[in-house]
Amino acid sequence: MILTKRTLFQIAFFVVITVVSGTIMIFDYMGLPNLIFGSGHYTVTVQLPAAAGLYETANVTYRGTEVGRVRKVHLSDTGVDAVLSLRSGIDIPGDVDAQVHSQSAVGEQFVALIPRGPDGPPLRDGDVIPLSRSAVPPDIGEMLDAVNTGLTAIPDDDLRTVVDESYTAVGGLGPEIARLVKGSTTLALDARRNLDALMLLIDNAGPVLESQSDSADSLRAWAANLASITRQLKTEDSAVAGVLEKGPAAADAARQLFDRMDVTLPVVLANLVSVGQVAITYQPNIEQILVLAPPTVEVVQGSALTNRNATGPYRGAFLSFNLNINLPPACTTGFLPAAQVRVPSLTDYPERPAGDLYCRVPQDAMFNVRGARNLPCETRPGKRAPTVKMCESDENYVPLNDGYNWKGDPNATLTGQSVPQPPPGTPGSTATPPAAAAPDSPNVASAVYDPATGRYVGPDGNVYVQSDLAPGSTGGRTWQSMLLPPESR
């Protein structure tokens, strides 16, 4: 048989194709070097509680990528050992979990290696993944049997009713359910993007939940009070209905009232702002008044019960008017000098003298202890001063003298402080108006004369009596004659 060149070329070509295909099948598809010699692979043993349908040549994946196959599955003293053949070129952390999963509902199990952390040495030949870090899926047969048992336990009529009612409930709601599923998917994706914030929220939720647990009694009390209020509202339903019916009319009337007060209301509210500031400053004092007012009223009302069964003048409370006149003496230090003191019988109301008039004796003096000098400063605790200006400043109270009356010149003090004086030209003023000032003019002082008794207070503060000026005197001089010129007397 003579072979031509063409035939020899075809035979050589088919031989080459056969050798290449066989090589690929042996080394790549069948992996004979790995199966016989373990070339390019290393073995790791996984301890499993059960085979769970795992078979030889099953895939082994790491992060969803195939990295080897199952070489052998055999029994052991603790359960089942699965020997994995892994490629040497892929570093897999040694701290991994081995889980058996199914690619479908009917089988095709595989081993998934899931890392527990990014750090740690990689797996080496001969490493063992213990039973504590492995897991197998539930047996599909047992699960189907349990589902069948559960469905069998449900009566057919009830199950048909559940299916019919479910169809009635969700029938025709396909678009809404689709939106719900789409929204849930979007929510899950957003949650994944904000995983760190959600984990931080979950971690910090502990103290909040603990505070709710600690406040359980308060929450129960609040719920009980809310239930009580609800019962009261239910009991007073007619009254509540009346409020709701008449409320709009009352609100309209209040609105009309505010409209009529449009001009004056802003002024009143502006004034209330000032009053509110004062009330805030004196809040402790107002609280003290509100605390003391009820017992004071109670005492006053209790005094009316004295001899309530009696008749005539003996019924009611008895008051004793045992007066201690001038004990202690009246304080005159810090007030106008005696020459400027007005007679109490006068009924006119002149302008208030300039300056602050109050008892200016030392703060620890034994009399007039409740005077202005001992008023507590609201904004400066511990400080006492007669005026708000002194309270707000760093100035301290300085007394005029340590006695009951003036010492020395009544228009000056031992400390050099000025004495409040009325305006120039007014009766009793020691100051001379600029226009009437004269170097040689004598000092003229006025005094109020009482015609009934003939008494008057002199510029030196002493009381004098000139009886011939009183009505009915035999001296022939009256206060009217003193007003007439000498030639007319």
Side-chain angles (χ1 to χ4, degrees):
M1 180 178 180
I2 301 173
L3 299 178
T4 64
K5 292 183 178 180
R6 181 178 180 181
T7 303
L8 294 174
F9 178 79
Q10 290 177 346
I11 293 174
F13 178 76
F14 281 112
V15 170
V16 172
I17 293 296
T18 303
V19 172
V20 172
S21 300
T23 303
I24 293 174
M25 181 179 296
I26 293 173
F27 288 94
D28 185 58
Y29 181 75
M30 297 178 63
L32 289 179
N34 175 38
L35 294 176
I36 299 175
F37 306 106
S39 176
H41 289 72
Y42 63 95
T43 60
V44 174
T45 302
V46 178
Q47 296 178 351
L48 299 173
L54 190 65
Y55 55 91
E56 295 183 3
T57 71
N59 291 334
V60 179
T61 63
Y62 173 68
R63 297 184 183 273
T65 303
E66 182 183 348
V67 295
R69 292 183 180 274
V70 177
R71 174 178 290 184
K72 185 188 299 183
V73 179
H74 60 86
L75 293 173
S76 66
D77 297 337
T78 59
V80 175
D81 288 347
V83 180
L84 309 182
S85 177
L86 305 178
R87 297 193 187 100
S88 301
I90 301 175
D91 291 335
I92 301 175
D95 188 13
V96 293
D97 291 336
Q99 299 179 0
V100 179
H101 293 282
S102 297
Q103 293 183 352
S104 63
V106 296
E108 300 183 20
Q109 278 76 7
F110 68 96
V111 178
L113 300 178
I114 301 175
R116 306 177 69 179
D119 301 330
L123 288 174
R124 302 295 182 187
D125 185 39
D127 287 348
V128 177
I129 298 177
L131 188 64
S132 60
R133 289 190 294 165
S134 63
V136 295
D139 185 69
I140 189 66
E142 296 179 358
M143 185 176 66
L144 292 176
D145 291 340
V147 172
N148 184 49
T149 303
L151 293 176
T152 305
I154 302 176
D156 294 341
D157 296 337
D158 295 342
L159 182 59
R160 187 178 296 107
T161 301
V162 171
V163 173
D164 294 341
E165 294 297 333
S166 300
Y167 173 78
T168 303
V170 300
L173 299 178
E176 288 76 8
I177 296 177
R179 283 199 302 270
L180 178 62
V181 173
K182 184 177 179 181
S184 301
T185 304
T186 304
L187 180 62
L189 294 176
D190 292 341
R192 180 63 182 175
R193 286 193 293 267
N194 299 279
L195 183 60
D196 295 339
L198 291 176
M199 295 299 295
L200 181 62
L201 177 62
I202 294 173
D203 294 339
N204 294 333
V208 177
L209 297 178
E210 291 177 359
S211 65
Q212 297 298 316
S213 178
D214 297 338
S215 305
D217 296 337
S218 301
L219 293 176
R220 293 192 187 95
W222 177 82
N225 295 334
L226 181 60
S228 176
I229 294 174
T230 305
R231 287 194 298 269
Q232 293 177 7
L233 291 176
K234 181 178 179 181
T235 305
E236 303 295 336
D237 181 69
S238 58
V240 175
V243 171
L244 296 178
E245 292 175 357
K246 299 177 181 179
D252 186 64
R255 182 186 60 78
Q256 294 177 4
L257 175 62
F258 286 127
D259 292 341
R260 291 194 299 270
M261 298 174 61
D262 186 38
V263 178
T264 58
L265 185 60
V267 179
V268 174
L269 295 179
N271 294 335
L272 287 178
V273 171
S274 302
V275 175
Q277 293 176 351
V278 175
I280 292 175
T281 303
Y282 290 90
Q283 178 184 354
N285 307 75
I286 297 175
E287 292 180 355
Q288 186 68 13
I289 291 175
L290 296 177
V291 170
L292 297 179
T296 303
V297 174
E298 182 181 0
V299 170
V300 174
Q301 291 178 343
S303 64
L305 299 177
T306 306
N307 299 327
R308 62 178 178 177
N309 296 326
T311 59
Y314 302 104
R315 182 178 181 180
F318 294 97
L319 299 179
S320 175
F321 292 94
N322 296 326
L323 303 181
N324 295 324
I325 303 300
N326 208 31
L327 289 177
C331 177
T332 59
T333 300
F335 295 95
L336 295 176
Q340 301 176 17
V341 176
R342 290 168 52 82
V343 176
S345 61
L346 298 179
T347 59
D348 58 341
Y349 47 92
E351 294 292 334
R352 184 182 183 278
D356 297 322
L357 302 179
Y358 55 89
C359 182
R360 297 195 183 185
V361 296
Q363 290 180 319
D364 57 352
M366 298 301 295
F367 63 99
N368 196 26
V369 294
R370 296 184 180 179
R373 71 183 189 277
N374 285 327
L375 291 177
C377 297
E378 296 297 330
T379 58
R380 302 285 292 272
K383 183 178 180 180
R384 296 178 180 270
T387 62
V388 176
K389 181 179 180 181
M390 187 177 295
C391 280
E392 299 294 337
S393 66
D394 295 333
E395 179 184 1
N396 293 322
Y397 172 79
V398 178
L400 293 181
N401 62 46
D402 56 355
Y404 289 92
N405 301 302
W406 294 107
K407 290 185 177 180
D409 185 357
N411 295 323
T413 64
L414 295 179
T415 59
Q417 293 181 342
S418 60
V419 178
Q421 296 291 331
T426 58
S429 174
T430 58
T432 305
D440 299 332
S441 59
N443 293 331
V444 178
S446 62
V448 180
Y449 178 75
D450 185 2
T453 60
R455 295 175 179 270
Y456 65 94
V457 180
D460 56 356
N462 297 323
V463 179
Y464 297 91
V465 178
Q466 189 167 351
S467 59
D468 56 355
L469 300 178
S473 64
T474 59
R477 299 181 61 188
T478 63
W479 65 273
Q480 292 90 342
S481 64
M482 296 179 63
L483 299 178
L484 298 177
E487 61 273 8
S488 300
R489 298 178 183 173

